[in-house]
């Protein structure tokens, strides 16, 4: 689980962000950032498969049922859609530390186990 995400310094000035803000206001931009924070904690690969549009909107803190945040994020190219499955666009590229968190944790666990196994072997001999 990652404890932070990267946010490009030009994020607020980008065309995509400006489009999202024009279409649904600053709350939509905040919801996008909240969705990214949710993904860092719960979906470190950026894959939102298995989550309904409503689940994604809840994770993003989106409270306006009259506007589909998911559709806005797809239209503005922040989310990729394949049927019912959604994925955060370019997540692995833009969040390399977050997307590699599970692999780093696994490697650290293997390393720690090897260290303790070696120590046990030395004590046993």
């Amino acid at each position: 689980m990652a404890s932070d995400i990267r946010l490009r310094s030009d994020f607020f000035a980008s065309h995509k962000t400006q489009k999202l803000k024009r279409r649904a206001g600053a709350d939509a931009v905040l919801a996008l950032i909240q969705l990214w924070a949710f993904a860092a904690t719960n979906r470190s690969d950026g894959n939102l498969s298995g989550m309904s549009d409503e689940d994604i909107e809840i994770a993003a803190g989106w409270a306006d049922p009259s506007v589909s945040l998911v559709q806005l994020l797809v239209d503005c190219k922040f989310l990729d859609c394949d049927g019912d499955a959604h994925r955060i666009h370019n997540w692995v590229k833009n969040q390399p530390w977050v997307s590699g968190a599970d692999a780093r944790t696994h490697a650290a666990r293997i390393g720690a186990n090897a260290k303790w196994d070696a120590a046990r072997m030395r004590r046993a001999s």
Side-chain angles (χ1 to χ4, degrees):
M1 174 180 83
S3 60
D4 61 355
I5 58 172
R6 295 181 77 175
L7 188 64
R8 291 177 50 106
S9 59
D10 65 350
F11 169 74
F12 293 103
S14 79
H15 182 77
K16 288 169 43 171
T17 305
Q18 289 298 312
K19 186 184 289 188
L20 179 61
K21 185 177 176 185
R22 283 180 64 139
R23 291 182 181 185
D27 285 346
V29 177
L30 180 60
L32 171 62
I33 296 170
Q34 187 168 327
L35 179 61
W36 289 345
F38 168 85
T41 304
N42 300 286
R43 302 288 181 113
S44 64
D45 61 356
N47 187 343
L48 305 177
S49 294
M51 294 180 71
S52 68
D53 288 5
E54 182 180 25
D55 292 334
I56 293 169
E57 290 176 355
I58 290 169
W62 187 248
D64 185 352
S66 68
V67 176
S68 171
L69 177 69
V70 170
Q71 190 58 54
L72 279 169
L73 296 178
V74 169
D75 291 346
C76 293
K77 311 275 191 259
F78 285 109
L79 277 183
D80 297 328
C81 183
D82 183 15
D84 289 335
H86 292 90
R87 183 178 262 305
I88 298 173
H89 181 74
N90 279 345
W91 181 257
V92 173
K93 176 184 168 198
N94 293 323
Q95 302 295 338
W97 183 254
V98 172
S99 62
D102 291 341
R104 284 191 310 280
T105 299
H106 181 69
R109 187 173 292 120
I110 289 172
N113 287 340
K115 176 182 170 184
W116 289 111
D117 287 346
R120 277 194 289 270
M121 295 290 279
R122 284 193 299 273
R123 284 194 304 268
S125 45

